[in-house]
Amino acid sequence: MSRPVPASARKRAEELRRQINYHNYRYHVLDAPEVSDAEYDRMMRELEDLEAKYPALVTPDSPTQRVGAPPLEQFASVVHRTPMLSLGNAFDEGELRAFDGRVKRQLGLPAEERIDYMAELKVDGLAVSLTYENGVFTRGATRGDGFTGEDVTLNLRTIRAIPLRLLVESPPPLLEVRGEVYLDKREFARINQEREAAGEPPFANPRNAAAGSVRQLDSSITARRRLDMICYGIGAAEGVEFDYHHEILEYLEQAGFKASPHSKLCRGIEEAAAYCREWQERHRELTYGTDGVVVKVDSLALQRELGHVSRSPRWAIAYKFPPEEEVTVVKDIIVSVGRTGALTPVAVMEPVVVSGSTVQHATLHNEDEVARKDVRIGDTVVVRKAGDVIPEVVSVITSKRTGRERKFEMPTRCPVCGAEAIRPEGEAVRRCTGIACPAQLLGRIEHFFSRGALNADGIGPALIAQLVAKKLVRDPADLFFLTKEQLLGLERMADKSAQNVLDSLESAKHPTLARLIYALGIRHVGEHVAEVLADRFGSLERLAGASEEELAETPEVGPTIAASIAAFFRQEQTRELLEKLRRAGVSPVVPAAAGAAEGPLAGKTVVFTGALSMPRAQAEQIVKSQGGRAASSVSKRTDYVVAGEKPGSKYERARELGVTILTEDEFRRLAGIEG
Ligand code: IVH
């Protein structure tokens, strides 16, 4: 038992907290401090001393709780109460006006009507959702896939621009605040200098640095990076109501956040377009990175009427600033080999900063492109980031040629395995023919476990390269048979990291069917086509057995894709791979996304208790993929409680309330997990 707290101490602690919170707000949100740093530190120390003396005084929202939490082993997953959507893009004013046209058509309004829009800067950082319960910051999560994110509460607590308690008179029972965590350009430069001095690789851009800092298992590292946050909206809310988006921003500002600075209420799309033009010119003046303007219908009633398509609201659009172009010199042209064996020429350049990140490599796509642009080694070139991500060479500044430039020739052998590289008639791409080419294997395995595929955290290029080099794996399925001893034999692999790899592989075993199809890396089968195929065929067996004609009849699957799929499943190697995956216990959750709306768990709330044979995050993922919701506590509204070994008090509670209790096996059957 901790010692009783005298009333005077309690009062003093409350007073200090109130003052410290106020000064935090002045300093971090308003940039207008009222007291010196020394005075602030004194208050903080006094509070720390009080809390050390009377631990019962420590509350989760105390300013002292912003730092010093012990490192976590991994993040728990959090299901967002309302999903975090993404936005459609407009790349020019024409597309912005087309958006306005669609809005009016859907609302049945005449074309000459003027809609009120809020225009806000699109901050380039990491999207997070903050949950406030009765005004207290209780949970912070990353966006994740929009439905489930990672619990990064401890790290977000260290960010001074996030109030631990809402500064409003009567706080609502529930409020999810949505915004972007980012790093100032100066702070980004400071962190990179520090990293380089310590011999660590610098972050490529402020967004990566912000994401890396928030997704830190050790929150004291996050605390050392001065992250900031700008809020632009809310998710679920109880006990507060708004009629207009601009009211939400005003409320957030009063509650202690930085709410979309420089935002503007625009009467009609032309005013919004003018705002976009203005900030396209001015955005580099800002101390943080922005990549466009978000234009939103201001009326929430109209927003509701418009709704959303797939994952983007119909009432908002992101106007993207045009990519920046920079000039640099091509030092070399190298050839990289991808997972399909494609040989891609890549320009190696003098490092140059384009749209906020350092660029050294730019794809030249294929040999025809090199010839068409006539890029030579030694050339001065213009580069930009295509779609703002992949750097590419736009053109050569021929006036800068000295005559010492060298022409590039595409090799006819694979630079990795030495096998012949062939360019079939009528195709632009040259491919390595070596079936055992390590570059292809590496790429295939990386793809298999990548985010859009099986999404196994921690199974990255460095680990895969070692496994391939040591001949421990010959295909993606082999990873599931690795033992801890084998992993411990690798470089920089201690017991804990080996266990993490095994856990991560275990939790990757039940992806949706679409993800599994995509993971196989069939040529021409991207994420979207994989979803179409999953919907149409329903199982891997049926897809593998489909004839080329059947495949070609599938909407969006033309003869080229059909031929590629049929050829893939005809191969002996493919059959072996599928068989091995089956033996490893890899099986898709059915019915995949398309069935989720009417799946067995659609609309159901599920609570887990006790030890399951699969990680909790995976079980929650399964519920979600079936259209259900995983909750953490049992109430009358809970539909199922799944009891593992040694179930806890939730089991008792479920019995009291008469909630259906399932064993793990029953749950698996209900969710349609085979095996
Ligand atoms: S509104 C339902 N406003 O951009 C619409 N998003 O592609 C929710 N972002 O993931 C987004 N600044 O993280 C909105 N002022 C702003 C924003 C903003 C940055 C990010 C956001 C979202 C992404 C949309």
Side-chain angles (χ1 to χ4, degrees):
M1 277 298 287
S2 50
R3 68 175 102 179
V5 186
S8 59
R10 186 175 296 278
K11 217 168 132 226
R12 181 67 189 148
E14 271 165 25
E15 173 59 19
L16 284 166
R17 266 179 216 142
R18 203 187 50 73
Q19 283 195 12
I20 293 169
N21 281 336
Y22 171 76
H23 293 302
N24 266 341
Y25 175 69
R26 301 275 331 172
Y27 186 91
H28 293 285
V29 178
L30 301 183
D31 284 330
E34 274 178 7
V35 292
S36 66
D37 287 359
E39 175 62 6
Y40 177 88
D41 290 343
R42 195 199 56 71
M43 288 190 275
M44 201 61 171
R45 256 196 319 275
E46 189 185 339
L47 181 60
E48 278 164 5
D49 290 348
L50 266 176
E51 288 179 347
K53 196 159 162 200
Y54 306 109
L57 273 182
V58 183
T59 58
D61 65 324
S62 175
T64 56
Q65 299 303 297
R66 285 195 188 268
V67 280
L72 297 170
E73 295 224 339
Q74 67 175 83
F75 298 113
S77 56
V78 175
V79 178
H80 301 302
R81 285 186 171 86
T82 50
M84 295 180 78
L85 302 174
S86 52
L87 294 172
N89 292 323
F91 291 101
D92 56 39
E93 287 187 23
E95 293 184 10
L96 191 62
R97 293 191 182 98
F99 158 75
D100 178 58
R102 283 196 299 278
V103 165
K104 285 185 253 190
R105 248 195 329 281
Q106 275 149 13
L107 294 172
L109 294 172
E112 55 289 356
E113 187 90 17
R114 269 197 232 162
I115 305 264
D116 285 351
Y117 290 109
M118 272 303 270
E120 298 168 25
L121 292 168
K122 187 167 182 299
V123 185
D124 199 8
L126 174 78
V128 298
S129 180
L130 313 173
T131 304
Y132 287 83
E133 287 169 277
N134 298 313
V136 177
F137 175 49
T138 51
R139 182 123 85 161
T142 60
R143 176 175 185 278
D145 63 3
F147 298 97
T148 312
E150 288 169 320
D151 186 335
V152 286
T153 314
L154 295 175
N155 295 344
L156 295 182
R157 267 180 189 292
T158 68
I159 301 178
R160 304 297 164 123
I162 296 180
L164 297 178
R165 180 181 279 276
L166 298 178
L167 303 175
V168 289
E169 285 276 315
S170 43
L174 174 73
L175 186 66
E176 274 179 351
V177 176
R178 301 276 164 86
E180 205 82 358
V181 169
Y182 66 94
L183 278 168
D184 216 71
K185 292 174 188 164
R186 277 231 307 274
E187 177 66 1
F188 169 65
R190 185 191 70 76
I191 293 172
N192 267 354
Q193 268 167 15
E194 215 175 78
R195 284 174 75 86
E196 283 181 79
E200 290 167 314
F203 287 116
N205 57 46
R207 184 185 12 185
N208 286 359
S213 308
V214 168
R215 299 182 69 258
Q216 270 290 337
L217 291 170
D218 181 350
S219 64
S220 68
I221 297 179
T222 315
R224 285 203 293 274
R225 314 238 170 107
R226 236 153 290 142
L227 289 156
D228 214 324
M229 175 159 179
I230 284 179
C231 298
Y232 52 71
I234 58 174
E238 283 165 23
V240 258
E241 274 185 39
F242 304 97
D243 294 323
Y244 296 97
H245 178 68
H246 74 260
E247 290 177 355
I248 296 179
L249 296 185
E250 279 164 19
Y251 179 88
L252 290 176
E253 200 150 85
Q254 277 161 18
F257 297 95
K258 283 187 198 173
S260 278
H262 307 291
S263 61
K264 182 170 181 243
L265 183 56
C266 302
R267 313 279 177 195
I269 201 68
E270 289 311 318
E271 275 188 42
Y275 179 96
C276 293
R277 276 196 298 277
E278 181 188 344
W279 283 101
Q280 189 162 308
E281 289 309 309
R282 289 185 53 195
H283 74 104
R284 280 175 214 92
E285 293 168 16
L286 299 164
T287 58
Y288 47 92
T290 51
D291 58 350
V293 169
V294 184
V295 176
K296 309 173 182 176
V297 170
D298 190 40
S299 154
L300 302 186
L302 294 187
Q303 284 189 7
R304 275 189 293 275
E305 201 173 325
L306 287 161
H308 48 88
V309 256
S310 137
R311 290 185 171 198
S312 316
R314 287 206 193 84
W315 45 263
I317 196 154
Y319 170 88
K320 288 297 202 72
F321 296 143
E324 285 174 38
E325 296 186 340
E326 291 297 337
V327 173
T328 183
V329 173
V330 176
K331 294 195 295 189
D332 197 3
I333 296 178
I334 58 170
V335 174
S336 87
V337 185
R339 73 181 154 91
T340 58
L343 268 54
T344 308
V346 176
V348 182
M349 307 167 302
E350 289 291 346
V352 60
V353 177
V354 190
S355 315
S357 68
T358 306
V359 168
Q360 287 192 60
H361 296 103
T363 176
L364 292 164
H365 303 289
N366 55 54
E367 50 201 283
D368 288 352
E369 273 290 296
V370 181
R372 192 178 64 75
K373 289 182 180 156
D374 191 18
V375 184
R376 304 179 193 175
I377 299 164
D379 264 341
T380 301
V381 293
V382 177
V383 288
R384 71 159 174 233
K385 282 195 264 169
D388 253 353
V389 216
I390 307 161
E392 66 175 13
V393 171
V394 183
S395 60
V396 175
I397 307 180
T398 44
S399 60
K400 296 254 174 155
R401 284 214 170 127
T402 61
R404 286 195 298 275
E405 295 74 17
R406 280 184 294 124
K407 282 208 170 194
F408 163 78
E409 258 188 64
M410 195 72 169
T412 52
R413 292 199 162 270
C414 171
V416 176
C417 74
E420 222 181 321
I422 291 179
R423 181 178 173 187
E425 273 286 315
E427 284 197 23
V429 175
R430 189 176 289 276
R431 278 174 212 284
C432 162
T433 54
I435 41 168
C437 177
Q440 291 184 50
L441 179 53
L442 211 79
R444 271 205 306 275
I445 300 181
E446 260 178 58
H447 172 77
F448 195 86
F449 293 100
S450 66
R451 272 189 80 162
L454 263 66
N455 191 17
D457 250 3
I459 316 292
L463 172 69
I464 299 170
Q466 282 199 65
L467 293 170
V468 170
K470 295 219 151 119
K471 300 209 166 41
L472 288 172
V473 299
R474 281 187 304 115
D475 64 33
D478 285 338
L479 273 86
F480 294 105
F481 295 96
L482 288 170
T483 61
K484 198 174 209 177
E485 288 64 44
Q486 285 175 320
L487 287 170
L488 286 171
L490 303 178
E491 272 167 42
R492 271 180 296 172
M493 186 66 79
D495 193 79
K496 197 159 118 191
S497 28
Q499 191 55 49
N500 286 346
V501 168
L502 294 176
D503 289 348
S504 172
L505 286 164
E506 191 57 39
S507 36
K509 281 185 178 172
H510 302 291
T512 59
L513 178 59
R515 279 169 173 265
L516 185 57
I517 295 172
Y518 173 65
L520 295 174
I522 309 169
R523 266 188 81 198
H524 303 302
V525 179
E527 286 177 85
H528 178 68
V529 172
E531 274 174 26
V532 172
L533 293 169
D535 279 357
R536 168 78 177 76
F537 293 95
S539 78
L540 210 50
E541 293 69 33
R542 252 175 277 154
L543 176 64
S547 68
E548 204 168 316
E549 294 72 46
E550 263 179 282
L551 288 161
E553 278 164 19
T554 309
E556 297 186 72
V557 178
T560 316
I561 306 182
S564 161
I565 300 170
F568 177 82
F569 285 108
R570 265 199 307 273
Q571 289 176 47
E572 185 53 34
Q573 276 185 17
T574 303
R575 255 175 262 150
E576 275 173 27
L577 175 69
L578 296 185
E579 170 54 24
K580 239 196 252 178
L581 286 172
R582 203 191 53 75
R583 268 192 290 128
V586 175
S587 64
V589 280
V590 283
E598 63 266 9
L601 294 174
K604 303 281 191 222
T605 302
V606 182
V607 174
F608 294 95
T609 175
L612 305 174
S613 70
M614 59 179 123
R616 193 60 71 88
Q618 185 192 343
E620 292 179 357
Q621 181 67 32
I622 292 170
V623 173
K624 205 195 74 192
S625 69
Q626 302 292 303
R629 196 174 83 87
S632 55
S633 62
V634 181
S635 75
K636 284 198 298 276
R637 275 173 298 181
T638 308
D639 294 287
Y640 301 114
V641 167
V642 180
E645 268 174 49
K646 301 211 182 94
S649 59
K650 291 177 200 167
Y651 180 82
E652 293 307 322
R653 179 103 180 104
R655 289 189 48 171
E656 277 164 36
L657 293 171
V659 174
T660 307
I661 297 173
L662 302 177
T663 62
E664 184 178 337
D665 279 346
E666 286 168 335
F667 165 70
R668 281 171 177 267
R669 273 198 293 281
L670 187 66
I673 305 167
E674 299 151 12

